[in-house]
Amino acid sequence: MSPESRNRRQFSRRSLLRAGSVAAGFAAFGRSGLLIGTAHAAETIINPFTGYSISDGWWDHVNRGSLGGIDYVMGVGTPLPACASGQLRIDWNNGTGGYTATIVMANGMRSQYLHLSGFNGGERYVQQGEIVGYSGGAAGAPGSGSSTGPHLHWHLVTAGGTRVNPLDYVGAGSGGTGGGLPLEDRRLGHLGTAGGWAHMLSNLVLPGNTTYGAFSPGPGQSPRAMANIDGVMMLVYAGSNGWTTMSSGLAMDPGAPLNVLRTPANASAQIFTLEDGRLWHTFDGNGWKKFPSSVTVSGNCTFSMTANGTDLHGLFNDNGRLFHVWADGSGWHKGDTQVDLQPGSDLVAVIQPDGSLQGLSLEFSRVHHIFGANGRWNRIPTTASLPTGTPIAGRAAYGWPQLVANHNGAITHVWGTSSGWMCVPTGQTTNPGRRLSLVPDVASASLVGLTL
Ligand SMILES: [Zn+2]
């Protein structure tokens, strides 16, 4: 029996707690991305094409060498509403793109419709929903460019010039999926550093309303995840037939942020969520259980949990104030550190090899180092700069905690050295806005994790 099928059986018996894969002294510190739907600029973008089927998705484009786009099945001459208000630019000769309608939004973001058969009026400021042109794409027709059949190609370009997936930017309620991530891009990816950085996309596609956190089943093994998939807590793991999911049967608030970790005494994942203004603790102890803690939080709280032995610790940014949250034999506690943070900014908590609780926060476009010394808490800006809102994940390390960040699609490694902080792209890319979750195993030299 393979290790995975053995674990499948144990999980179905609700007894991962007793699984034999516990390594003495092994600790895994997990965290989840907390940035669903908040990673993008405030410009309102709708998807006017939700009624059309997609013939060629974002990753279909990228995987064949395109810069990316979404192709909608659409008959020639279909009116095309503006996805956003902005300045309309008309291009009669956009190379392989053919006739192209570009809308330049106030924040510099551009929307482009390609392969059109014609335009509706001239260059002007257009309101969202106004018809800007007509679809085309028939092979050889004027304006079709390289298109070989009727369709609409749509993509966005950031102010910085990076082409991005429009479905990552459309708001909920406009036909997008939950937080706006399209199904095709909800693909689980495996992040690793064995023999250089790797980012491999799996075949596992998760629904729109998924939050997750990675954890390690043991040193050297593929990370797993616990995921809140449309309100049901699921185990996500690699089996002999690829990545798959298994339900725990436990209900959660759909969309509730997760932090996942594993303590040395417990082979199973421990899951922390913020629901109904409270921290909840979920774990497998002869069946999955979910308990409210005594810790209450505001509606504007980001958090990161970690463990020191069997004691649980967290750093909470509760509406701009840093709190230390911990559980010990006497129950749950929430202590005010007297340190102010930028409200809503994300942070990472880890137990360093020396046993101290430390953290990194991303606020005011800069990574800050959080630590206690001489009886007080400190939050010191580092020289590493990243835009506030960048998806981050972290782990403990010798010296200072480390981060991996999705910096506008470039998977970037952030670490401190005695001569300053480094912020270096790994050469691996992902969709901007995709969340990361690391398996921060101090004992292991490699950084591994999952992307979603
Ligand atoms: Zn296309």
Side-chain angles (χ1 to χ4, degrees):
M1 189 181 292
S2 76
E4 288 298 345
S5 58
R6 188 166 66 239
N7 282 327
R8 166 185 279 272
R9 200 181 64 180
Q10 285 168 337
F11 189 83
S12 63
R13 294 208 323 263
R14 297 183 163 187
S15 61
L16 262 183
L17 187 66
R18 297 187 297 275
S21 61
V22 187
F26 171 72
F29 310 128
R31 71 174 308 281
S32 70
L34 302 170
L35 297 167
I36 297 175
T38 65
H40 307 308
E43 197 78 28
T44 305
I45 301 172
I46 61 164
N47 180 358
F49 311 117
T50 54
Y52 301 88
S53 59
I54 293 172
S55 59
D56 214 23
W58 181 265
W59 288 103
D60 295 322
H61 280 77
V62 170
N63 289 340
R64 67 163 184 269
S66 159
L67 290 172
I70 307 288
D71 287 354
Y72 287 98
V73 179
M74 201 177 285
V76 172
T78 304
L80 305 174
C83 67
S85 302
Q87 192 66 37
L88 173 65
R89 288 189 191 150
I90 286 173
D91 191 340
W92 296 94
N93 186 18
N94 187 26
T96 56
Y99 296 172
T100 297
T102 301
I103 297 167
V104 184
M105 299 167 221
N107 63 2
M109 177 81 80
R110 287 173 284 155
S111 160
Q112 294 199 298
Y113 300 160
L114 270 50
H115 315 304
L116 307 194
S117 58
F119 299 97
N120 181 37
E123 294 190 333
R124 65 193 185 279
Y125 188 89
V126 293
Q127 299 293 332
Q128 187 174 68
E130 196 172 330
I131 304 302
V132 298
Y134 304 94
S135 70
S144 284
S146 62
S147 175
T148 57
H151 76 281
L152 171 71
H153 171 112
W154 182 28
H155 64 246
L156 298 179
V157 181
T158 67
T162 303
R163 197 188 284 199
V164 292
N165 185 344
L167 301 186
D168 281 359
Y169 288 76
V170 297
S174 63
T177 51
L181 286 176
L183 198 62
E184 56 158 353
D185 279 342
R186 308 287 318 189
R187 212 176 287 184
L188 191 77
H190 185 192
L191 199 60
T193 53
W197 281 90
H199 178 229
M200 294 163 287
L201 281 178
S202 78
N203 56 352
L204 182 65
V205 176
L206 296 171
N209 201 14
T210 298
T211 58
Y212 81 110
F215 70 100
S216 172
Q221 297 190 46
S222 260
R224 299 178 184 183
M226 299 305 304
N228 175 1
I229 300 179
D230 290 333
V232 179
M233 208 258 291
M234 312 276 273
L235 172 68
V236 180
Y237 64 98
S240 52
N241 295 319
W243 287 83
T244 189
T245 62
M246 185 185 309
S247 175
S248 73
L250 200 74
M252 320 200 79
D253 262 8
L258 298 186
N259 264 220
V260 181
L261 55 86
R262 208 190 73 169
T263 58
N266 189 333
S268 181
Q270 304 203 44
I271 301 152
F272 303 88
T273 56
L274 302 181
E275 301 179 49
D276 304 323
R278 186 174 294 278
L279 175 70
W280 295 70
H281 184 192
T282 299
F283 54 89
D284 180 1
N286 296 320
W288 285 91
K289 296 182 176 67
K290 179 180 173 185
F291 291 108
S293 78
S294 59
V295 172
T296 58
V297 297
S298 75
N300 183 22
C301 185
T302 59
F303 77 115
S304 176
M305 293 296 302
T306 185
N308 191 5
T310 55
D311 287 349
L312 303 168
H313 292 271
L315 292 176
F316 283 52
N317 176 0
D318 196 349
N319 202 26
R321 188 73 166 211
L322 177 67
F323 287 89
H324 174 204
V325 170
W326 72 99
D328 56 24
S330 65
W332 285 90
H333 312 274
K334 182 182 181 186
D336 188 352
T337 67
Q338 312 283 321
V339 170
D340 289 326
L341 302 168
Q342 190 175 17
S345 63
D346 209 356
L347 75 180
V348 161
V350 300
I351 298 293
Q352 285 289 88
D354 65 5
S356 64
L357 174 66
Q358 299 188 21
L360 296 174
S361 64
L362 179 52
E363 44 187 330
F364 305 108
S365 300
R366 190 163 291 283
V367 175
H368 289 65
H369 183 204
I370 295 168
F371 58 94
N374 302 319
R376 62 184 287 263
W377 285 87
N378 303 276
R379 187 211 60 164
I380 306 296
T382 74
T383 54
S385 77
L386 288 167
T388 305
T390 298
I392 56 172
R395 71 155 192 176
Y398 294 98
W400 291 269
Q402 299 188 359
L403 290 182
V404 173
N406 177 359
H407 186 193
N408 290 329
I411 297 176
T412 299
H413 184 197
V414 179
W415 74 99
T417 74
S418 55
S419 57
W421 282 76
M422 310 295 287
C423 195
V424 179
T426 63
Q428 300 294 317
T429 57
T430 187
N431 229 22
R434 276 171 77 96
R435 289 166 296 128
L436 316 161
S437 185
L438 288 183
V439 175
D441 172 11
V442 180
S444 151
S446 60
L447 280 159
V448 297
L450 300 171
T451 61
L452 182 63

